[in-house]
mmCIF file of all heavy atoms in Angstrom:
data_model
loop_
_atom_site.group_PDB
_atom_site.id
_atom_site.type_symbol
_atom_site.label_atom_id
_atom_site.label_comp_id
_atom_site.label_asym_id
_atom_site.label_seq_id
_atom_site.Cartn_x
_atom_site.Cartn_y
_atom_site.Cartn_z
ATOM 1 N N VAL B 544 164.763 104.476 124.541
ATOM 2 C CA VAL B 544 165.051 105.902 124.758
ATOM 3 C C VAL B 544 166.376 106.027 125.516
ATOM 4 O O VAL B 544 167.250 106.848 125.160
ATOM 5 C CB VAL B 544 163.910 106.603 125.520
ATOM 6 C CG1 VAL B 544 164.230 108.049 125.783
ATOM 7 C CG2 VAL B 544 162.580 106.448 124.770
ATOM 8 N N GLU B 545 166.528 105.230 126.562
ATOM 9 C CA GLU B 545 167.779 105.293 127.372
ATOM 10 C C GLU B 545 169.007 104.936 126.501
ATOM 11 O O GLU B 545 170.076 105.497 126.652
ATOM 12 C CB GLU B 545 167.724 104.322 128.535
ATOM 13 C CG GLU B 545 166.731 104.749 129.610
ATOM 14 C CD GLU B 545 165.287 104.328 129.330
ATOM 15 O OE1 GLU B 545 164.991 103.848 128.197
ATOM 16 O OE2 GLU B 545 164.455 104.460 130.178
ATOM 17 N N THR B 546 168.790 103.961 125.571
ATOM 18 C CA THR B 546 169.924 103.538 124.677
ATOM 19 C C THR B 546 170.382 104.716 123.839
ATOM 20 O O THR B 546 171.560 105.008 123.701
ATOM 21 C CB THR B 546 169.495 102.338 123.803
ATOM 22 O OG1 THR B 546 169.061 101.333 124.655
ATOM 23 C CG2 THR B 546 170.656 101.854 122.959
ATOM 24 N N ILE B 547 169.404 105.402 123.202
ATOM 25 C CA ILE B 547 169.726 106.526 122.331
ATOM 26 C C ILE B 547 170.452 107.606 123.141
ATOM 27 O O ILE B 547 171.473 108.181 122.738
ATOM 28 C CB ILE B 547 168.493 107.110 121.659
ATOM 29 C CG1 ILE B 547 167.927 106.104 120.676
ATOM 30 C CG2 ILE B 547 168.742 108.452 121.009
ATOM 31 C CD1 ILE B 547 166.477 106.386 120.176
ATOM 32 N N SER B 548 169.920 107.897 124.326
ATOM 33 C CA SER B 548 170.473 108.917 125.223
ATOM 34 C C SER B 548 171.932 108.592 125.638
ATOM 35 O O SER B 548 172.846 109.435 125.482
ATOM 36 C CB SER B 548 169.610 109.057 126.439
ATOM 37 O OG SER B 548 170.188 109.944 127.347
ATOM 38 N N ILE B 549 172.182 107.363 126.019
ATOM 39 C CA ILE B 549 173.563 106.944 126.471
ATOM 40 C C ILE B 549 174.529 106.998 125.314
ATOM 41 O O ILE B 549 175.636 107.499 125.385
ATOM 42 C CB ILE B 549 173.529 105.573 127.199
ATOM 43 C CG1 ILE B 549 172.869 105.718 128.562
ATOM 44 C CG2 ILE B 549 174.913 105.001 127.306
ATOM 45 C CD1 ILE B 549 172.680 104.452 129.318
ATOM 46 N N VAL B 550 174.099 106.465 124.121
ATOM 47 C CA VAL B 550 174.962 106.441 122.975
ATOM 48 C C VAL B 550 175.332 107.899 122.589
ATOM 49 O O VAL B 550 176.490 108.205 122.269
ATOM 50 C CB VAL B 550 174.319 105.673 121.788
ATOM 51 C CG1 VAL B 550 175.058 105.945 120.491
ATOM 52 C CG2 VAL B 550 174.288 104.178 122.088
ATOM 53 N N GLY B 551 174.310 108.793 122.614
ATOM 54 C CA GLY B 551 174.570 110.180 122.334
ATOM 55 C C GLY B 551 175.592 110.783 123.267
ATOM 56 O O GLY B 551 176.507 111.559 122.842
ATOM 57 N N LYS B 552 175.470 110.478 124.559
ATOM 58 C CA LYS B 552 176.421 111.041 125.549
ATOM 59 C C LYS B 552 177.876 110.547 125.306
ATOM 60 O O LYS B 552 178.807 111.289 125.416
ATOM 61 C CB LYS B 552 175.976 110.640 127.003
ATOM 62 C CG LYS B 552 174.782 111.442 127.492
ATOM 63 C CD LYS B 552 174.370 110.955 128.866
ATOM 64 C CE LYS B 552 173.123 111.655 129.318
ATOM 65 N NZ LYS B 552 172.553 110.974 130.475
ATOM 66 N N ILE B 553 177.970 109.265 124.955
ATOM 67 C CA ILE B 553 179.294 108.685 124.704
ATOM 68 C C ILE B 553 179.889 109.389 123.465
ATOM 69 O O ILE B 553 181.088 109.763 123.407
ATOM 70 C CB ILE B 553 179.274 107.138 124.501
ATOM 71 C CG1 ILE B 553 178.757 106.448 125.758
ATOM 72 C CG2 ILE B 553 180.646 106.634 124.122
ATOM 73 C CD1 ILE B 553 178.414 104.998 125.559
ATOM 74 N N CYS B 554 179.055 109.567 122.443
ATOM 75 C CA CYS B 554 179.544 110.230 121.189
ATOM 76 C C CYS B 554 180.039 111.651 121.512
ATOM 77 O O CYS B 554 181.091 112.045 121.008
ATOM 78 C CB CYS B 554 178.437 110.300 120.159
ATOM 79 S SG CYS B 554 177.912 108.720 119.455
ATOM 80 N N ALA B 555 179.271 112.379 122.316
ATOM 81 C CA ALA B 555 179.626 113.783 122.639
ATOM 82 C C ALA B 555 180.935 113.835 123.383
ATOM 83 O O ALA B 555 181.801 114.723 123.072
ATOM 84 C CB ALA B 555 178.508 114.408 123.491
#
Side-chain angles (χ1 to χ4, degrees):
V544 180
E545 291 84 351
T546 304
I547 291 167
S548 175
I549 286 175
V550 168
K552 284 177 186 168
I553 299 168
C554 290

